[in-house]
């Protein structure tokens, strides 16, 4: 039996997710959103006292920053670009004619200055770099954004447009590795509070192509990425619901994130996959939140 299909069907039937006709692109009900809001408050309860600077970017980013980030080198298969009609009246006539004849009208669309944000932290690095040198104690930021990844799938835990909540630390190597360790411990505690059993494992990003295999191996060898996994649509293949990424000084060098003495900052980010966490909760505790264990309800709604 196709377990993935079954869970997605149940989510549609219950109205928690709303079918749009595109795999991985769903509407969400008020109830689904309420679970996400409640979980975000739990994140604040654990991390709020750290004093992170909250910043919210829209789900599109400056194309020039995106190009400089190197995303197209590593993940061309996942990127989404925003294109628009930029022609004259005559071009418009041909466009309408092409659409009427069922032709491919999209070929004439031109790239705009906006690409869809691939991870919540991407717009942050150039933004902080523009402010000038980092203070000696570095920086800590709290982000949330819809992110786009072109990977259509009927697994409800793999969506094309989903939200990522992130905390990002910039500082010395010691600062950022300590930050990452702290959130790994917090992640496990938070999930225990909401009745979810987790494992943490070393991981790698889905780098493209043959050269990407080497990047992935390097990332694993150096323990740069960990994921917190929860079974959702498969027990043998649990889903990454949080990731803990240490970028060493790669982003610091790329964007010019430096301290006053000119030395380069290290960075790390911790990401919560908000839809995945909500889906894990619905999968483990049932589709009706009123039936969830009291302990879980009080952790989320106190
Ligand atoms: P990463 O940048 O590590 O790939 O993603 C950060 C977090 O975003 C992941 O740990 C996961 O929780 C969430 N995420 C990644 N890809 C998807 C996806 O395709 N769908 C959903 N809903 N969440 C995702
Ligand atoms: Zn990040």
């Amino acid at each position: 039996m196709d377990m993935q299909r079954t869970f997605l069907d149940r989510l549609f039937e219950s109205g928690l997710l709303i079918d749009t006709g595109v795999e991985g692109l769903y509407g969400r009900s008020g109830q689904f959103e309420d679970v996400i809001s409640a979980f975000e408050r739990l994140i604040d309860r654990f991390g709020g006292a750290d004093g992170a600077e909250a910043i919210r970017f829209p789900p599109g980013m400056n194309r020039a920053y995106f190009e400089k980030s190197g995303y197209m080198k590593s993940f061309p298969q996942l990127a989404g670009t925003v294109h628009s009609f930029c022609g004259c009246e005559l071009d418009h006539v041909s466009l309408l004619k092409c659409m009427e004849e069922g032709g491919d009208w999209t070929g004439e669309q031109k790239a705009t200055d906006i690409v869809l944000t691939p991870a919540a932290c991407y717009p942050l690095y150039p933004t902080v770099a523009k402010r000038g040198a980092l203070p000696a104690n570095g920086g800590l930021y709290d982000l949330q954004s819809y992110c786009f990844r072109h990977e259509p799938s009927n697994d409800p835990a793999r969506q094309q447009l989903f939200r990522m909540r992130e905390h990002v630390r910039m500082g010395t190597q010691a600062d950022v590795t300590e930050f990452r360790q702290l959130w790994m411990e917090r992640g496990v505690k938070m999930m225990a509070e909401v009745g979810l059993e987790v494992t943490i494992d070393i991981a790698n990003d889905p780098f493209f192509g043959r050269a990407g295999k080497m990047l992935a191996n390097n990332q694993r060898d150096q323990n740069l990425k960990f994921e917190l996994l929860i079974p959702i649509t498969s027990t043998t293949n649990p889903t990454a619901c949080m990731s803990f990424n240490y970028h060493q000084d790669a982003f610091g060098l790329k964007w010019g994130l430096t301290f006053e003495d000119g030395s380069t900052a290290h960075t790390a980010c911790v990401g919560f996959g908000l839809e995945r966490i909500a889906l894990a909760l619905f999968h483990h505790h049932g589709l009706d939140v009123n039936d969830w264990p009291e302990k879980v309800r009080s952790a989320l709604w106190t």
Side-chain angles (χ1 to χ4, degrees), residues 119 121 125 166 168 245 247 269:
C121 64
Y125 307 103
E166 286 199 46
V168 181
N245 306 285
H247 317 120
C269 70

Side-chain angles (χ1 to χ4, degrees), residues 67-285:
E67 287 163 3
K68 185 168 168 182
S69 77
Y71 196 81
M72 290 306 278
K73 275 194 207 135
S74 297
F75 313 108
Q77 79 282 19
L78 300 179
T81 51
V82 178
H83 283 61
S84 278
F85 169 75
C86 300
C88 62
E89 278 193 48
L90 209 61
D91 298 323
H92 185 218
V93 173
S94 339
L95 170 85
L96 293 181
K97 186 160 172 279
C98 179
M99 288 183 88
E100 209 165 295
E101 291 166 354
D104 178 12
W105 61 276
T106 59
E108 296 300 317
Q109 297 281 98
K110 297 274 183 295
T112 66
D113 289 336
I114 298 174
V115 299
L116 297 175
T117 304
C121 64
Y122 267 64
L124 179 72
Y125 307 103
T127 302
V128 173
K130 250 195 338 205
R131 293 176 176 175
L134 283 164
N137 62 351
L140 179 65
Y141 311 90
D142 167 347
L143 310 172
Q144 199 251 49
S145 175
Y146 260 101
C147 298
F148 175 84
R149 294 184 186 175
H150 183 234
E151 39 187 2
S153 163
N154 66 4
D155 175 355
R158 182 164 301 289
Q159 302 191 5
Q160 297 201 62
L161 273 160
F162 58 93
R163 272 159 295 179
M164 215 185 272
R165 178 83 183 267
E166 286 199 46
H167 274 224
V168 181
R169 180 80 166 103
M170 303 181 184
T172 62
Q173 175 169 9
D175 290 334
V176 310
T177 51
E178 188 187 316
F179 156 86
R180 187 172 71 150
Q181 186 59 37
L182 174 68
W183 273 107
M184 281 202 241
E185 288 157 21
R186 283 177 175 171
V188 175
K189 278 192 208 137
M190 291 171 75
M191 298 306 176
E193 279 202 18
V194 295
L196 296 173
E197 259 187 55
V198 309
T199 50
I200 289 201
D201 204 359
I202 195 157
N204 62 265
D205 287 310
F207 295 102
F208 184 75
R210 224 173 330 138
K213 280 238 157 36
M214 269 164 46
L215 291 172
N217 288 341
N218 184 44
Q219 194 180 29
R220 292 182 87 90
D221 290 346
Q222 297 194 64
N223 289 351
L224 298 182
K225 186 178 188 82
F226 288 92
E227 287 175 337
L228 179 148
L229 307 165
I230 308 176
I232 302 180
T233 41
S234 152
T235 37
T236 46
N237 226 344
T239 300
C241 291
M242 283 186 76
S243 72
F244 312 88
N245 306 285
Y246 174 36
H247 317 120
Q248 299 168 305
D249 59 359
F251 289 170
L253 286 169
K254 178 172 298 287
W255 297 109
L257 295 164
T258 51
F259 293 106
E260 249 139 41
D261 67 3
S263 62
T264 300
H266 284 229
T267 63
C269 70
V270 169
F272 292 85
L274 296 175
E275 281 75 10
R276 285 186 174 178
I277 292 168
L279 290 170
L281 288 163
F282 284 113
H283 177 73
H284 285 270
H285 304 314

